[in-house]
Amino acid sequence: MTIQEQILNAIQRFDTIIIHRHKRPDPDAVGSQMGLAEILKTSFPAKKIYTVGKQYASFEWLGVTDEIDDDVYQDALVIVVDTANQPRVDDDRYLNGKMLIKIDHHPNDDQFGDLMWVDELASSTSELIGDFCFQLKEQLLMTSNAARLLYAGIVGDTGRFKYPATTPKTFAITAKLTEYDFDASAINQHEDEINLPLAHLAAYTYDNLVINDNGAAHLILTNAALEPFNLGDESTSSIVPLPGNLKEVTSWAILVEQKEGDYRIRLRSKGPAINELAKQYGGGGHPLASGAVLSDEKEIPEFLANLDKVVDKYHATR
Ligand code: AMP
């Protein structure tokens, strides 16, 4: 049996299925979670299908999570999507079900679950869910809304099909999704849309980005710097890709001060793999998109020097 068939088999055996995703979600986390829920609700109307995790107003357009009691987990199958490591799972109760399945496309550094389907070559978990549904189309029904949700996840995680993880398979699955009745261009527009305060933050980003001669770049966003923009921490995600638009930038880090004084690092690259660097600081992620946390601002200079070394080494070997 393929892993997809094993997952379907487990889904068929349980009456209650609870779908989790990662904390601080992005369109792929929410799209794959809600898309899978929609497919399962349509394919198995008698089953109880729930989605959990903190609800953010900015993601209501992709659906709203359920609030469920602890006892719902008793006989449930739990599926965790798009989440590489267990501390990132939103809602700790993911371990309370009868069976646990992990479906993900990040490097499988933290192997958890009774069944695992991890494909690092997939652009997104939404691509995997689309593939799952189309492969097993006799049992799993795609709907226009599920296609919309999965499309939103794919365009989110591929940066509108710009990042190298975009493969012929990504396009093939996306093409099938767009045969369903939803407004793909409205989704592209929605994911690109920013408001004026965010536009000002984008201007601040370009104005204050520090770029080394080798193309290593960084921006430090302290609480004091962020305050005048009147934006939450989550809104900083829209500026994370911006340095990559600059010809002069190879790899970059956005360091966002948290309320407690620690720094969330968001690392991106157009060439050198930066996930090993993220791991050195207790984080991880993809070769070209990773994250970590610095507990003290005193660690920042050393971290930036290490980023510089990674970029230097990359240029030296080319
Ligand atoms: P982000 O900058 O938060 O969008 O994260 C980019 C990628 O890095 C995510 O897909 C995660 O896989 C990974 N990542 C971010 N933060 C962490 C962390 N603290 N620990 C492990 N992986 C992380």
Side-chain angles (χ1 to χ4, degrees), residues 232-264:
D233 168 37
E234 271 323 296
S235 8
T236 56
S237 44
S238 71
I239 56 112
V240 175
L242 297 184
N245 295 335
L246 296 173
K247 210 164 103 183
E248 291 80 359
V249 171
T250 306
S251 305
W252 64 104
I254 311 274
L255 297 96
V256 187
E257 188 181 10
Q258 306 294 291
K259 282 197 193 81
E260 299 74 23
D262 51 338
Y263 278 80
R264 174 183 182 188

Side-chain angles (χ1 to χ4, degrees), residues 89-142:
V89 180
D90 196 341
D91 199 327
D92 289 345
R93 297 177 296 175
Y94 73 100
L95 290 171
N96 296 357
K98 265 248 156 69
M99 182 177 184
L100 178 62
I101 297 178
K102 174 186 187 184
I103 303 179
D104 190 29
H105 73 121
H106 299 96
N108 200 4
D109 292 328
D110 182 4
Q111 307 195 354
F112 65 89
D114 302 294
L115 283 178
M116 260 184 319
W117 176 23
V118 176
D119 181 355
E120 285 180 41
L121 298 179
S123 68
S124 52
T125 304
S126 296
E127 176 183 322
L128 291 177
I129 301 298
D131 194 21
F132 179 52
C133 186
F134 291 133
Q135 266 189 45
L136 299 166
K137 60 178 187 295
E138 303 302 320
Q139 292 89 354
L140 295 173
L141 304 172
M142 184 62 73

Side-chain angles (χ1 to χ4, degrees), residues 166-228:
T166 310
T167 66
K169 191 163 182 181
T170 314
F171 285 116
I173 288 168
T174 307
K176 280 193 190 174
L177 290 173
T178 54
E179 284 171 17
Y180 288 79
D181 184 21
F182 68 92
D183 189 345
S185 63
I187 291 174
N188 301 339
Q189 170 67 19
H190 195 118
E191 293 198 16
D192 274 346
E193 217 160 60
I194 53 171
N195 55 22
L196 257 181
L198 272 175
H200 290 138
L201 181 63
Y204 181 92
T205 301
Y206 284 128
D207 275 347
N208 291 277
L209 192 71
V210 179
I211 311 172
N212 293 354
D213 290 343
N214 64 1
H218 74 269
L219 174 74
I220 300 177
L221 288 173
T222 59
N223 286 325
L226 274 172
E227 205 185 286

Side-chain angles (χ1 to χ4, degrees), residues 26 84-85 88 106 240 264-268 282-286 289-293:
D26 50 26
N85 48 355
R88 293 248 303 165
H106 299 96
V240 175
R264 174 183 182 188
I265 309 176
R266 311 190 70 173
L267 253 182
R268 299 291 187 269
H286 304 276
S290 294
V293 174

